[in-house]
Every structure is written in C-alpha cells, then in structure tokens.
Amino acid sequence: MGRDVASRASFTREDRIRYRQKVRRCLDVFALMLDDFKFDADRPTTGLEIELNLVDPYAEPAMRNAEILANLADPTFQTELGQFNLELNARPRLIEADGFADYEADLQASLARAGDRAAKADAAIILIGILPTLTAQHLVLNNISTTGRYRVLNEQIVAARGEDIRLDIRGVERLQTYTDSIAPEAGCTSVQFHLQVSPDTFANYWNASQAIAAVQVALGANAPFFYSKQLWAETRIVLFEQATDTRPDELKAQGVRPRVWFGERWITSIFDLFEENVRYFPPLLPICADEDPVEVLQSGGVPELSELRLHNGTVYRWNRPVYDIMHGRPHLRVENRVLPAGPTVVDMLANAAFYFGLARELAEADRPVWSQLTFGAAEENFHQAARRGITAQIHWPQFGEIAVTELVLDVLLPKAYAGLDRFGVAPAQRDRLLGIIEQRCRTGRNGAVWQTESVWRAERELGMARPDALHHMLQRYAELQRSNEPVHTWPVG
C-alpha cells in the first residue's frame, strides 16, 4: 500500500467514489467478521513502537534518516515523517514472566546498533517528546522524509484545509505562527503501546485506556519546549492536534470533528470506532486494492480490508483501534498513542507496565470506571494533564478534583500491580517498573520537570539565552539518557 501511495500524484473524483464504496463494503464485512469469525486472542500479546530523533554534534536536528536506514538495513527500523526521525518497532511479545526484561534487552540492543550507524553519519539518537532545538527553519516541506506517502499525505491535508495551518499554543509562554505544510507534526515523537484483545473485550479495554489517558500523560510528560518557547508540559498533544487539522475556522465553528481526536463517547464495540471513522471523515488517500472482501470471506479466507485499514490510519485517535493479520490469523489491538518517547528505555517500560497493568485491571472490573466518569470529564482531564503535567489536578469518580500523584499513589498503582499479576508478570519486574512510577509521584519529577528546571538553571545561573540553554540542556539530556537511569533520579545541571 505504501508503494501505491508513493506512486500517486493526484486523485480523481472516480478514485474517491470508488474508494468510498469500497471502504463501506469493508465495513460491512468487518461487521460480519465480528459476529462469527475466529480472531486470534488466546494470549494477550503486546507491542511497542518508539519514534526517535536524530541530532548532530551541536544538538541540532540531523536530516539523515535515509542514510542511517540504508546503513542499518534492519526492517525493525523505518522512516517517519521528518528526515530527522526514525521509528523502531519492537518484536511483539507476551509480558508474562520476564517479558519486560526481554523488551529492555531487545530495545537497548536495537538502539545501540542504530546509534552506532548514526555515529557513522555524524549523528546521535535522542528519545524525547519534542526535540527542543527545533526551529521553524527545520520544520519545512523540504525536510519531510522523501518516502512518497508522506509527501502525498501532506498534499491532501493541506488541500483539504485550503489555507496555511495556524499554530496557536498558549502555555507558560505563547506561540503563534503559521505553516504551509504538516512538517511541524514531525516534531511530535511518541512511544506507542499495543495490546491485543478479543472482540468481546475490546470496548472495555478502549474505554479504560481513554479513562486513564490523562494520568498517563501527566506522569510521562516530556515535551515542554517548542520553537524555543516553554508551552505545555506535554506540548506534543496540542501541537499534533493543530499541525494536522484539516478544518478551517468555519468548519471548526460548525462542529466538524478534527482528525486528531480524543473521541466523544464511550463505546460498546470496536465497530463503533471504525463506523465513526467512515461516517465522519472524508478519505485523504483514496487508494483501492484489488481484493473483494466479500468474496474472500465467503471463500473462507481472511479479508485484508485494505481500504478500511488505510482510512483508519488517517484518523489519529489517541487510542486507536487496529485490525491486523499475522500468520494468517486476524486480530484486534488497542494502540495507545498518548505518551512521548523517552526519557530512557526504563522510563518507557515503566510507563508501559503502568498502562498494561492498569488497563487490564480496569477493563475487568465489576463496576467500570467509565460508568462513573463522563466522557467530557475524561477529555478535559486529558488536556489538563497535557498542560500541567505531573502537577495536574483531574476529576475522578468518588474523589472529585484530585492531584494526579495522590490518585496514582492511593488508588491506581495498587490496581496496576493487580493487573500485572493477571498478566503473570514476574514480581521482580513488576516491582522495579512500578516502583519507578511511584518514585516519580513522590518526587514530583518527570522528563518535563527535568527539562524545564535545567533550562531555568542555564538561563539564571549560567546567564545563557534561551536557544543556548536549550542546546546545553539537550546535550546533558543525551548523556543522562545513555545511563538508562530513570529520569526522577537525574541531577539538574
């Protein structure tokens, strides 16, 4: 499909009509499959994707992903939107027993291998939510990856909007600017967690993931700076929402949904999400495959549902539904996309342990938390957490307004422990990773806090101007990241 996208310069009316018909045919087939098809859900496999940044020796973004990928020749690494980005796709695995230790060893080895190839290109790898040394001169159309699908996607988003994209972010400081491409989206680098679930339990896991998204962001915030300004604790959230918005102001005023979307309701089936995607969002990439999904299903095969999956990939939910096929068997996943990359591998695995454990415990609870929390409150919590980070106050059933750290320590951490026990995670792995989450809460320190304190110190004690302070901070960040010590233990300065 990527090759097909790359080969297209434009789309005709006929392309769009045929695609709309085909995607609706896929949706009908998907509904039939959910009723009586055997999905692979015997054991809850997990997955991890990490988006990486490349920097040069001066902590500036390095536009060298094509060269480094060619030298790596490793299919677990792929291009991302910006030429200073890479993506690492870890091998899916179970987290029972020592699964997290296996993840850690695998990720460390992969990053070391990529780091070695990057060094040969006079570059280094940084795990961070937004590269703080990015400027408007870096995030331009010419620095989007040369892979054709990114250029086509950019053309379609900009054409759908019909005008330049406005960025207006009000945080500690305020950023106001315009862009003529989606290149600023490349500044948003995340870690994504995948959890394979059955059709019957998908709604519970998605609802649980939505309910705890705010808590995840508050604890894991690691993107306080963009274009030299201090904005939100997790600026990546609002930047991604604005940088890919296909709506001019008039459509926003009419209530047209954004393509980067928290959603608007709790669900009862994964079908609700795919159906919303088809009903609300016009296609950006109307490319049809040759498969007739009805014929494949009737002949006993597994339909690819290519059009439905491609369309789903252009609606950027913070918790995305995924239909995929592996070894000839279809499966469903929740793709949790709320967290930034970094600061270290062990920090990201602590975030993963907290998410997987808490999501499972809440999804299997007798009285679901989403039956006591309005969807609007969950969305407001999410954006409050992105703004305030680890100091955020959110609304939670039975507590009203409560500090995130207090909620985690008193209520949610015990549930995460219980959820990891349901997965069969080794106690030593469970205690180590959730212990990092506990200490983050007790110290009030995550990546965003460390970054802002380090920049303030460079400005106030060392007399540096903001751009110099950001470079100084990022170079120190890179040193501490290599230690793989959790960020709450990092010294400032």
Side-chain angles (χ1 to χ4, degrees), residues 187-482:
C188 306
T189 39
S190 67
V191 58
Q192 298 165 19
F193 305 139
H194 293 251
L195 182 58
Q196 183 177 314
V197 295
S198 69
D200 291 342
T201 61
F202 183 94
N204 281 6
Y205 276 94
W206 188 86
N207 289 340
S209 298
Q210 291 285 99
I212 64 176
V215 179
Q216 290 182 266
V217 169
L219 297 185
N222 193 32
F225 294 101
F226 182 62
Y227 283 2
S228 294
K229 293 185 181 292
Q230 184 184 347
L231 301 169
W232 292 15
E234 186 52 33
T235 305
R236 185 183 58 90
I237 299 296
V238 65
L239 176 58
F240 191 39
E241 289 176 344
Q242 293 187 11
T244 54
D245 199 340
T246 57
R247 306 168 303 162
D249 290 343
E250 294 80 5
L251 292 185
K252 294 178 189 177
Q254 293 173 36
V256 172
R257 280 94 174 161
R259 292 194 92 98
V260 178
W261 200 29
F262 189 81
E264 59 191 19
R265 63 185 174 119
W266 306 117
I267 64 167
T268 58
S269 167
I270 187 175
F271 185 80
D272 295 346
L273 301 177
F274 280 99
E275 191 274 335
E276 282 181 349
N277 288 355
V278 172
R279 178 155 45 105
Y280 293 146
F281 300 101
L284 288 178
L285 302 172
I287 299 168
C288 292
D290 294 332
E291 176 191 80
D292 182 336
V294 174
E295 289 183 2
V296 173
L297 185 65
Q298 290 176 344
S299 65
V302 179
E304 293 282 344
L305 305 183
S306 299
E307 294 80 10
L308 188 65
R309 292 161 70 188
L310 178 61
H311 186 60
N312 186 55
T314 64
V315 179
Y316 304 99
R317 294 179 183 270
W318 293 111
N319 284 291
R320 176 185 276 166
V322 176
Y323 166 84
D324 207 350
I325 301 168
M326 184 173 292
H327 307 306
R329 294 188 66 186
H331 68 262
L332 306 176
R333 303 194 303 268
V334 178
E335 181 183 71
N336 179 255
R337 303 157 50 82
V338 305
L339 284 171
T344 63
V345 168
V346 75
D347 279 308
M348 291 187 292
L349 289 176
N351 292 338
F354 182 70
Y355 167 69
F356 289 136
L358 184 56
R360 179 155 188 179
E361 187 66 11
L362 293 181
E364 299 183 11
D366 292 333
R367 189 181 179 199
V369 67
W370 56 93
S371 70
Q372 309 162 61
L373 180 70
T374 68
F375 197 90
E379 183 174 15
E380 176 59 26
N381 285 346
F382 180 66
H383 287 100
Q384 258 316 1
R387 288 186 188 95
R388 308 295 181 194
I390 205 164
T391 65
Q393 301 255 339
I394 64 170
H395 181 83
W396 198 257
Q398 301 177 30
F399 293 92
E401 297 298 312
I402 184 172
V404 165
T405 51
E406 181 183 346
L407 178 66
V408 171
L409 290 171
D410 293 348
V411 179
L412 301 184
L413 256 181
K415 294 183 184 298
Y417 274 91
L420 292 184
D421 287 342
R422 289 178 186 259
F423 277 110
V425 173
Q429 295 297 318
R430 176 200 66 197
D431 295 349
R432 177 193 180 214
L433 295 175
L434 293 184
I436 290 171
I437 299 297
E438 178 182 354
Q439 288 306 308
R440 256 191 241 159
C441 291
R442 295 198 184 281
T443 60
R445 303 187 63 76
N446 59 11
V449 171
W450 185 90
Q451 286 192 54
T452 54
E453 289 186 359
S454 297
V455 168
W456 292 344
R457 179 182 180 277
E459 289 177 333
R460 295 169 188 175
E461 296 183 17
L462 304 179
M464 292 183 177
R466 176 63 62 81
D468 294 330
L470 290 170
H471 283 77
H472 176 79
M473 178 271 286
L474 187 59
Q475 288 171 325
R476 180 66 174 142
Y477 181 104
E479 293 172 9
L480 293 167
Q481 184 172 91
R482 287 191 287 271

Side-chain angles (χ1 to χ4, degrees), residues 57-80:
Y58 305 101
E60 293 277 313
M63 309 297 170
R64 296 170 195 156
N65 66 357
E67 177 184 353
I68 293 166
L69 281 172
N71 290 333
L72 262 172
D74 182 344
T76 61
F77 287 89
Q78 298 176 3
T79 55
E80 253 298 329

